[in-house]
Amino acid sequence: SQKIEQNSEALNIQEGKTATLTCNYTNYSPAYLQWYRQDPGRGPVFLLLIRENEKEKRKERLKVTFDTTLKQSLFHITASQPADSATYLCALDSSFQKLVFGTGTRLLVSP
Amino acid sequence: GAVVSQHPSRVICKSGTSVKIECRSLDFQATTMFWYRQFPKQSLMLMATSNEGSKATYEQGVEKDKFLINHASLTLSTLTVTSAHPEDSSFYICSASVDYTFGSGTRLTVV
């Protein structure tokens, strides 16, 4: 069966450290994968998209990797700040414009 | 960037009544919108795809007579939860097919 797993329900790190979140999928062949941030009681906010032919993408303090052989994406936040505390969701396209989301990882950055 | 406005943000209704949720695209036209629901500590699940001027496409297991979707214009899609029951209590979120933009969500509580 098809699955998307974010294998940490919660991640606690200290301010200034790098947070690394993992997204693994099975039985999908996505053309792209996305990462979103979701704050409590709010809709997701798009952060980054990485295509199947891209290994790595960066945006400011964010970095995403995509390994289609391992069927895994890693999401890094460098120099983390308390304001980065949120739930982070990975999502991939299952068919035209339809997204399938992972369960999310709740990140808590402590001062 | 693209903005999707979703209203109301919170609604409490009595069991058996109907509730309408609106999703508007601001400053752009959205021929396609998506409706998701999210239960506590779970991921977003796609309910239906709303296409302007045509019938919505519902995901497997979603009752189309219970969750009525109307996309009568290029800037407005509505989701009506008919004859709501407590098990319909959830967080409903819309998104537009432009720039992966999501609304801020609607917390529905059925009492």
Side-chain angles (χ1 to χ4, degrees):
Chain A
S1 62
Q2 295 177 317
K3 273 187 191 177
I4 303 173
E5 290 181 330
Q6 295 185 244
N7 56 357
S8 298
E9 187 177 323
L11 180 64
N12 293 338
I13 64 168
Q14 209 167 8
E15 182 176 9
K17 302 292 186 183
T18 296
T20 298
L21 286 64
T22 306
C23 177
N24 294 289
Y25 60 93
T26 55
N27 295 322
Y28 283 105
S29 296
Y32 57 83
L33 188 146
Q34 302 177 6
W35 284 88
Y36 289 81
R37 169 183 174 141
Q38 187 176 25
D39 290 286
R42 308 288 294 176
V45 174
F46 171 76
L47 296 174
L48 279 169
L49 178 151
I50 186 165
R51 302 190 185 281
E52 59 178 337
N53 60 348
E54 297 175 313
K55 296 290 186 189
E56 181 180 297
K57 204 140 191 199
R58 293 175 184 260
K59 178 183 175 183
E60 298 173 354
R61 293 185 296 113
L62 308 179
K63 184 178 87 171
V64 171
T65 63
F66 193 12
D67 189 325
T68 54
T69 302
L70 290 178
K71 295 186 182 294
Q72 180 181 79
S73 176
L74 299 179
F75 176 78
H76 307 272
I77 305 175
T78 58
S80 60
Q81 305 165 0
D84 295 326
S85 299
T87 295
Y88 292 86
L89 306 166
C90 68
L92 50 82
D93 65 304
S94 62
S95 61
F96 180 65
Q97 293 185 329
K98 288 188 180 181
L99 294 177
V100 180
F101 282 84
T103 48
T105 296
R106 194 171 65 252
L107 174 67
L108 178 61
V109 181
S110 304
Chain B
V3 175
V4 171
S5 175
Q6 185 173 343
H7 292 282
S9 58
R10 288 178 179 271
V11 58
I12 300 173
C13 71
K14 290 187 177 180
S15 191
T17 62
S18 295
V19 172
K20 181 186 281 190
I21 302 169
E22 291 189 349
C23 187
R24 292 182 184 272
S25 57
L26 306 182
D27 299 329
F28 72 98
Q29 294 180 334
T31 55
T32 302
M33 286 193 174
F34 303 94
W35 288 94
Y36 296 82
R37 67 188 294 182
Q38 186 177 32
F39 290 107
K41 296 194 177 181
Q42 293 188 26
S43 192
L44 282 76
M45 296 296 293
L46 180 65
M47 298 175 65
T49 302
S50 167
N51 298 297
E52 187 269 336
S54 64
K55 290 185 179 180
T57 305
Y58 291 82
E59 295 301 301
Q60 194 173 12
V62 177
E63 300 175 58
K64 60 182 179 182
D65 294 331
K66 179 164 195 58
F67 299 100
L68 299 180
I69 291 173
N70 184 284
H71 196 154
S73 79
L74 287 170
T75 59
L76 175 64
S77 176
T78 61
L79 167 67
T80 301
V81 183
T82 63
S83 187
H85 288 99
E87 57 265 31
D88 298 323
S89 299
S90 188
F91 192 53
Y92 292 86
I93 313 170
C94 65
S95 80
S97 55
V98 175
D99 290 346
Y100 314 108
T101 307
F102 283 76
S104 53
T106 297
R107 171 73 59 196
L108 170 63
T109 303
V110 184
V111 298

